């Protein structure tokens, strides 16, 4: 359950924000590299202020996507930790219940064995006889 279901759900929830982040990062990267390559044209056409505004806008979009991705990955990690903790607690509870049930059954078995041994002793003290179950 924890090794298959939790990672599948987690990755499906993180997929959208990861795809958006990579797309925004690629777009920003391409725009910034184009700005560097065409710096001569930008300076000649006095488009520096306009280009700077666009770089800042794209930078803000990239920062926003980064924050979304970090927020989503933190939520996914918290959900995973919660799920693992709940499974550990459930396993502990089941173990305790089974231990008490086994202890109770063991007590009954020991009591029944002891009763048969005593009955066997008083009924007949022959070495050939086996316990009667």
């Amino acid at each position: 359950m924890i090794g298959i279901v939790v990672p599948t759900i987690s990755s499906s929830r993180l997929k959208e924000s990861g795809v958006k982040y990579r797309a925004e990062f690629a777009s920003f990267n391409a725009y910034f590299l184009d700005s560097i390559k065409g710096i001569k044209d930008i300076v000649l056409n006095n488009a520096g202020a306009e280009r700077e505004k666009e770089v800042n806008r794209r930078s803000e979009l990239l920062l926003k996507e980064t924050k979304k991705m970090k927020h989503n990955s933190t939520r996914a990690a918290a959900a995973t930790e919660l799920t693992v903790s709940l499974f550990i607690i459930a396993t502990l509870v089941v173990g305790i219940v089974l231990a008490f049930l086994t202890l109770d059954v063991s007590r009954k078995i020991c009591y029944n064995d002891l009763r048969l041994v005593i009955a066997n002793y008083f009924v007949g003290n022959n070495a050939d006889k086996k316990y009667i179950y």
Side-chain angles (χ1 to χ4, degrees):
M1 171 82 178
I2 291 175
I4 297 171
V5 175
V6 172
T8 304
I9 292 171
S10 180
S11 70
S12 67
R13 287 186 176 175
L14 293 175
K15 184 178 182 180
E16 183 182 336
S17 65
V19 168
K20 283 183 179 179
Y21 172 78
R22 284 190 297 276
E24 193 60 47
F25 185 76
S27 173
F28 177 78
N29 225 9
Y31 187 80
F32 193 74
L33 286 175
D34 284 346
S35 295
I36 292 172
K37 286 180 184 175
I39 194 78
K40 189 184 280 185
D41 293 333
I42 293 170
V43 171
L44 288 175
N45 294 325
N46 289 328
E50 182 182 315
R51 203 66 159 178
E52 180 184 4
K53 284 180 187 177
E54 185 62 21
V55 167
N56 287 338
R57 186 187 72 78
R58 288 178 183 239
S59 180
E60 288 296 323
L61 287 174
L62 183 61
L63 182 62
K64 187 190 288 186
E65 288 301 323
T66 303
K67 285 180 181 179
K68 281 182 189 178
M69 191 175 67
K70 285 183 181 180
H71 177 73
N72 289 341
S73 65
T74 303
R75 287 181 63 198
T80 301
E81 290 295 325
L82 177 65
T83 305
V84 169
S85 297
L86 290 176
F87 270 94
I88 289 171
I89 290 170
T91 303
L92 178 65
V93 169
V94 168
I96 290 170
V97 168
L98 288 176
F100 279 117
L101 289 177
T102 304
L103 184 63
D104 192 41
V105 169
S106 297
R107 246 190 257 139
K108 288 178 183 176
I109 290 172
C110 289
Y111 174 73
N112 287 336
D113 286 347
L114 181 63
R115 194 173 46 137
L116 288 172
V117 168
I118 292 171
N120 234 0
Y121 179 76
F122 285 115
V123 170
N125 201 359
N126 297 333
D128 310 8
K129 290 188 177 181
K130 303 287 182 194
Y131 295 117
I132 304 169
Y133 289 103

